[in-house]
Amino acid sequence: MTRTPLMAGNWKMNLDHLEANHLVQGLAMELADHNHDYSQCEVLVIPPFTDIRTVQTIVDADNLGIKYGAQDVSVHDNGAYTGEISTSMLTKLGCTYVVMGHSERREYHNESDELVGEKARKVLDAGMTPILCCGEALEIRKAGTHVEFVLGQIRAALKGWDAADVAKIVIAYEPIWAIGTGETATADDAQEVCGAIRKALAEDFGAETAEATRVLYGGSAKPGNIKELMAQEDIDGALIGGASLKADSFAEMCRFYA
Ligand code: PGA
């Protein structure tokens, strides 16, 4: 298997640029102190837009192995779209990943699967890696239709895509009921859906693509449960909210392999 594990810290709307400076320096120090092996685990921070320039400056100045990206992006190239940020603005700042379709954006900004797919396409075309989020609400989980629901989200977003492009993206499965609640899906629950995602990718785009596409789990992932999650066959990393805001806990999660 050639999928490199990925630990992605989604800061959400937390930390101003001064605090971002502090966290990235601290994270770099923690990782260096433990001789972090970036080939065993890619480390990614996803700060608010206003912090990205600061993060770029630190990463470049110290030639850090940490990567950084954005939490959202516009589908437009430029023009009269007040408040939006384009892919070229992000690539200029050295961003390599962009998240789309996080449940908080779907819920508070009415983002549809089609829009999420369009954003992923835009990000890929700009040479960055999309992190496409999916996940079910508690009612759907209780009804037992979560697998079907999540596969529906992914299939709608990736409709008409080439297999070669699908192989380049990252999919993040985040059950909404587990986000920020302290309620983690069990490793078995997470594996059930991540495994179903890979199986669906194999059906739709071929086995080779399914083998190459990274699938992350997200939702109250923390140092205490990361090893068990990462031991699952189809979990290639985590999208981490709360636990990524502290250098020591995030760095500890990046060392899951040690
Ligand atoms: P959490 O958030 O780790 O705080 O649950 C995860 C996410 O929403 O990406």
Side-chain angles (χ1 to χ4, degrees):
M1 188 185 85
T2 53
R3 299 188 299 267
T4 307
L6 172 66
M7 289 296 151
N10 173 15
W11 295 2
K12 308 193 179 183
M13 197 175 72
N14 293 295
L15 309 183
D16 61 33
H17 75 284
L18 300 173
E19 294 164 327
N21 187 337
H22 190 74
L23 178 54
V24 173
Q25 305 265 19
L27 179 61
M29 215 135 44
E30 287 278 343
L31 293 167
D33 280 353
H34 292 87
N35 296 315
H36 182 73
D37 181 353
Y38 289 90
S39 70
Q40 299 266 7
C41 177
E42 229 180 300
V43 180
L44 170 68
V45 295
I46 311 171
F49 290 128
T50 51
D51 296 356
I52 294 176
R53 176 68 173 154
T54 300
V55 173
Q56 177 194 33
T57 305
I58 304 164
V59 167
D60 285 358
D62 294 336
N63 205 8
L64 302 177
I66 298 170
K67 295 180 178 165
Y68 54 91
Q71 298 174 15
D72 185 37
V73 73
S74 174
V75 291
H76 304 290
D77 288 331
N78 52 52
Y81 300 101
T82 302
E84 297 207 38
I85 299 289
S86 70
T87 49
S88 66
M89 292 170 179
L90 298 177
T91 52
K92 263 266 160 29
L93 286 169
C95 288
T96 49
Y97 286 84
V98 180
V99 172
M100 69 275 316
H102 190 282
S103 59
E104 289 148 17
R105 298 236 27 119
R106 291 178 187 261
E107 184 179 358
Y108 309 136
H109 300 271
N110 293 318
E111 295 200 353
S112 65
D113 292 327
E114 290 67 29
L115 179 69
V116 169
E118 212 182 320
K119 288 185 176 185
R121 172 88 266 157
K122 198 83 197 162
V123 165
L124 201 62
D125 288 348
M128 297 180 286
T129 303
I131 301 180
L132 193 158
C133 301
C134 56
E136 81 286 357
L138 187 58
E139 311 81 72
I140 296 173
R141 163 72 53 168
K142 281 185 174 157
T145 52
H146 49 285
V147 171
E148 187 185 325
F149 177 84
V150 167
L151 297 186
Q153 285 183 314
I154 296 171
R155 284 185 159 131
L158 299 181
K159 199 162 170 219
W161 279 50
D162 289 342
D165 286 341
V166 174
K168 292 180 197 151
I169 74 169
V170 173
I171 293 176
Y173 167 59
E174 299 202 302
I176 298 171
W177 47 272
I179 296 178
T181 56
E183 180 99 22
T184 326
T186 64
D188 286 347
D189 288 341
Q191 166 59 29
E192 180 200 18
V193 181
C194 293
I197 291 172
R198 199 173 312 283
K199 192 157 160 276
L201 292 177
E203 283 163 19
D204 297 357
F205 301 102
E208 208 177 306
T209 299
E211 268 305 299
T213 308
R214 288 182 292 179
V215 181
L216 313 183
Y217 166 78
S220 299
K222 46 186 178 276
N225 58 27
I226 195 67
K227 273 186 194 280
E228 199 191 351
L229 288 165
M230 292 305 291
Q232 305 303 312
E233 194 180 336
D234 292 300
I235 300 179
D236 304 315
L239 185 56
I240 305 158
S244 74
L245 297 174
K246 292 252 159 50
D248 54 354
S249 62
F250 188 51
E252 192 180 337
M253 295 175 82
C254 296
R255 286 198 302 278
F256 74 91
Y257 61 86

Short mmCIF file of all heavy atoms in Angstrom, two decimals, residues 10 12 102-104 174 178-182 218-221 239-243, ligand 1:
data_model
loop_
_atom_site.label_atom_id
_atom_site.label_comp_id
_atom_site.label_asym_id
_atom_site.label_seq_id
_atom_site.Cartn_x
_atom_site.Cartn_y
_atom_site.Cartn_z
N ASN A 10 -7.67 20.97 11.34
CA ASN A 10 -8.65 21.98 10.89
C ASN A 10 -8.90 22.94 12.05
O ASN A 10 -9.60 22.61 13.00
CB ASN A 10 -9.94 21.25 10.48
CG ASN A 10 -11.07 22.21 10.16
OD1 ASN A 10 -10.86 23.41 9.96
ND2 ASN A 10 -12.29 21.67 10.11
N LYS A 12 -10.57 25.62 12.10
CA LYS A 12 -11.88 26.29 12.04
C LYS A 12 -11.70 27.79 12.30
O LYS A 12 -10.66 28.34 11.94
CB LYS A 12 -12.85 25.63 13.01
CG LYS A 12 -12.92 24.11 12.81
CD LYS A 12 -14.06 23.45 13.51
CE LYS A 12 -14.02 21.96 13.21
NZ LYS A 12 -15.16 21.23 13.79
N HIS A 102 -17.19 20.73 4.32
CA HIS A 102 -17.25 20.43 5.75
C HIS A 102 -18.70 20.58 6.20
O HIS A 102 -19.42 21.46 5.69
CB HIS A 102 -16.34 21.38 6.53
CG HIS A 102 -16.19 20.97 7.96
ND1 HIS A 102 -17.16 21.23 8.90
CD2 HIS A 102 -15.20 20.28 8.61
CE1 HIS A 102 -16.78 20.71 10.06
NE2 HIS A 102 -15.59 20.13 9.91
N SER A 103 -19.13 19.76 7.14
CA SER A 103 -20.55 19.78 7.54
C SER A 103 -20.98 21.16 8.04
O SER A 103 -22.13 21.56 7.88
CB SER A 103 -20.81 18.72 8.60
OG SER A 103 -20.00 18.95 9.72
N GLU A 104 -20.02 21.92 8.62
CA GLU A 104 -20.38 23.26 9.09
C GLU A 104 -20.67 24.20 7.91
O GLU A 104 -21.51 25.08 8.00
CB GLU A 104 -19.26 23.81 10.00
CG GLU A 104 -19.25 23.06 11.33
CD GLU A 104 -17.89 22.90 11.98
OE1 GLU A 104 -16.94 23.62 11.61
OE2 GLU A 104 -17.77 22.03 12.88
N GLU A 174 -16.64 12.36 8.18
CA GLU A 174 -16.83 12.96 9.50
C GLU A 174 -18.30 12.85 9.91
O GLU A 174 -19.13 13.68 9.48
CB GLU A 174 -16.46 14.44 9.47
CG GLU A 174 -15.01 14.69 9.10
CD GLU A 174 -14.57 16.07 9.59
OE1 GLU A 174 -15.17 17.08 9.20
OE2 GLU A 174 -13.62 16.11 10.38
N ALA A 178 -20.31 13.24 15.77
CA ALA A 178 -19.04 13.05 16.48
C ALA A 178 -18.15 14.28 16.44
O ALA A 178 -17.08 14.32 17.05
CB ALA A 178 -18.30 11.85 15.88
N ILE A 179 -18.59 15.34 15.71
CA ILE A 179 -17.74 16.51 15.56
C ILE A 179 -17.87 17.45 16.76
O ILE A 179 -18.96 17.95 17.04
CB ILE A 179 -18.08 17.28 14.26
CG1 ILE A 179 -17.76 16.40 13.04
CG2 ILE A 179 -17.30 18.59 14.19
CD1 ILE A 179 -18.11 17.04 11.72
N GLY A 180 -16.75 17.65 17.43
CA GLY A 180 -16.71 18.61 18.54
C GLY A 180 -17.56 18.21 19.74
O GLY A 180 -17.80 19.00 20.64
N THR A 181 -18.03 16.97 19.76
CA THR A 181 -18.93 16.54 20.82
C THR A 181 -18.22 15.69 21.86
O THR A 181 -18.76 15.40 22.92
CB THR A 181 -20.06 15.66 20.24
OG1 THR A 181 -19.47 14.56 19.54
CG2 THR A 181 -20.95 16.45 19.30
N GLY A 182 -17.00 15.26 21.55
CA GLY A 182 -16.29 14.34 22.44
C GLY A 182 -16.73 12.91 22.18
O GLY A 182 -16.13 11.95 22.65
N GLY A 218 -12.77 11.86 10.70
CA GLY A 218 -12.78 13.06 11.54
C GLY A 218 -13.96 13.06 12.47
O GLY A 218 -15.04 12.53 12.14
N GLY A 219 -13.79 13.64 13.65
CA GLY A 219 -14.86 13.69 14.66
C GLY A 219 -14.32 13.26 16.00
O GLY A 219 -14.22 12.06 16.28
N SER A 220 -13.90 14.24 16.81
CA SER A 220 -13.34 13.98 18.13
C SER A 220 -12.17 12.99 18.11
O SER A 220 -11.98 12.22 19.05
CB SER A 220 -14.43 13.50 19.10
OG SER A 220 -15.43 14.50 19.25
N ALA A 221 -11.39 13.04 17.05
CA ALA A 221 -10.14 12.26 17.03
C ALA A 221 -9.18 12.95 18.00
O ALA A 221 -9.13 14.18 18.06
CB ALA A 221 -9.56 12.22 15.63
N LEU A 239 -8.89 14.10 10.11
CA LEU A 239 -9.16 15.53 10.05
C LEU A 239 -9.51 15.91 11.49
O LEU A 239 -10.49 15.41 12.04
CB LEU A 239 -10.30 15.83 9.07
CG LEU A 239 -10.62 17.30 8.80
CD1 LEU A 239 -9.40 18.07 8.30
CD2 LEU A 239 -11.73 17.42 7.74
N ILE A 240 -8.67 16.75 12.07
CA ILE A 240 -8.71 16.96 13.51
C ILE A 240 -9.04 18.41 13.84
O ILE A 240 -8.34 19.32 13.41
CB ILE A 240 -7.33 16.59 14.12
CG1 ILE A 240 -6.93 15.16 13.70
CG2 ILE A 240 -7.35 16.74 15.63
CD1 ILE A 240 -5.44 14.92 13.78
N GLY A 241 -10.10 18.62 14.58
CA GLY A 241 -10.48 19.98 14.98
C GLY A 241 -9.83 20.33 16.31
O GLY A 241 -8.66 20.71 16.37
N GLY A 242 -10.59 20.19 17.38
CA GLY A 242 -10.16 20.59 18.72
C GLY A 242 -8.74 20.19 19.09
O GLY A 242 -7.95 21.03 19.55
N ALA A 243 -8.39 18.95 18.87
CA ALA A 243 -7.07 18.45 19.31
C ALA A 243 -5.92 18.99 18.45
O ALA A 243 -4.75 18.77 18.77
CB ALA A 243 -7.06 16.92 19.33
P1 PGA B 1 -13.26 17.79 16.12
O1 PGA B 1 -13.56 18.41 14.67
O2 PGA B 1 -11.98 17.02 16.02
O3 PGA B 1 -13.16 18.97 17.03
O4 PGA B 1 -14.41 16.89 16.45
C1 PGA B 1 -13.30 17.69 13.51
C2 PGA B 1 -13.71 18.47 12.28
O5 PGA B 1 -14.81 19.02 12.25
O6 PGA B 1 -12.94 18.56 11.29
#
